[in-house]
Structure formats: C-alpha cells, structure tokens
Amino acid sequence: MLCKKSTDTQTLLHWSKLLEYDFFRLYTQHLILYSPPTKTRNPEYKDTLPKFRKNIYTKEIIDFILEILETGYKTKGQIMAEYGIPKTTLHKWISKYKK
C-alpha cells in the first residue's frame, strides 16, 4: 500500500479508524491553506452551493502559522500574502496564542 500512487477514500477511512488518526485532516488543512481566493461573481448568478462566512482555521493551522512566524522563517507580510490570512486575524492569533 505504501508503494501505491493513490488510495481510495474507503481504504483511507479504514486506516484512519484502525490507527485512530484523522488522515483526512491533512487534506482538508491543505485545501484551507492553499485554495485559491474566490472570485467575485455576477450578482445575477445564483449559486446553489453553501457559502461560508469565515475561513475555518484549526488549532493546528494556527500553531503552524505562529511557529513559522516565531522562528523567523516567514514575516507577517509573507504569511498574509501566501496564506491569505487577514492582518487583523493574524494579530488576534499572536495576542491570544503567543507563548
């Protein structure tokens, strides 16, 4: 299984339950961090998909962002530009979670 290029979701779900580890979280966090920004749509166009009012940041993502900031790997400006995190959100995280 380790040599396979991909794995179906049913098998991944079985491994997640067996090892008591959420392998799907790796993919969802990747989607949250690297998904392209949404484009402004035509107001006449009605989308049937649900719209989320806020981005969803897990504690792991917040810890990761603060770690790369504290180690000096990236600056606040680089983090805001690369990950699309608003300045106010980043400053709230720093004041709330800084060690």
Side-chain angles (χ1 to χ4, degrees), residues 38-53:
T38 58
K39 296 179 181 178
T40 55
R41 296 185 185 262
N42 183 353
E44 296 173 4
Y45 175 75
K46 297 221 176 191
D47 195 1
T48 58
L49 296 174
K51 292 184 174 78
F52 296 101
R53 297 182 66 200

Side-chain angles (χ1 to χ4, degrees), residues 4 10 22 34 48-50 53 60 68 70 72 76 82:
K4 285 185 177 181
Q10 188 66 32
D22 186 4
Y34 293 104
T48 58
L49 296 174
R53 297 182 66 200
E60 291 85 5
I68 62 175
E70 288 175 2
K76 291 178 187 176
E82 186 173 337

Side-chain angles (χ1 to χ4, degrees), residues 6-93:
S6 64
T7 303
D8 62 65
T9 54
Q10 188 66 32
T11 305
L12 192 60
L13 179 62
H14 287 300
W15 278 107
S16 293
K17 289 178 179 180
L18 180 68
L19 298 174
E20 297 179 357
Y21 183 80
D22 186 4
F23 288 105
F24 292 97
R25 182 174 287 198
L26 298 171
Y27 296 108
T28 55
Q29 288 178 352
H30 179 81
L31 289 174
I32 291 168
L33 285 175
Y34 293 104
S35 64
T38 58
K39 296 179 181 178
T40 55
R41 296 185 185 262
N42 183 353
E44 296 173 4
Y45 175 75
K46 297 221 176 191
D47 195 1
T48 58
L49 296 174
K51 292 184 174 78
F52 296 101
R53 297 182 66 200
K54 296 176 95 175
N55 286 334
I56 301 170
Y57 300 107
T58 62
K59 181 69 170 114
E60 291 85 5
I61 291 176
I62 295 170
D63 290 341
F64 170 74
I65 296 295
L66 292 178
E67 181 181 334
I68 62 175
L69 182 64
E70 288 175 2
T71 59
Y73 184 72
K74 292 187 182 193
T75 64
K76 291 178 187 176
Q78 290 172 324
I79 290 171
M80 289 184 288
E82 186 173 337
Y83 301 114
I85 297 172
K87 183 177 182 179
T88 55
T89 302
L90 185 59
H91 285 282
K92 284 180 187 175
W93 291 351

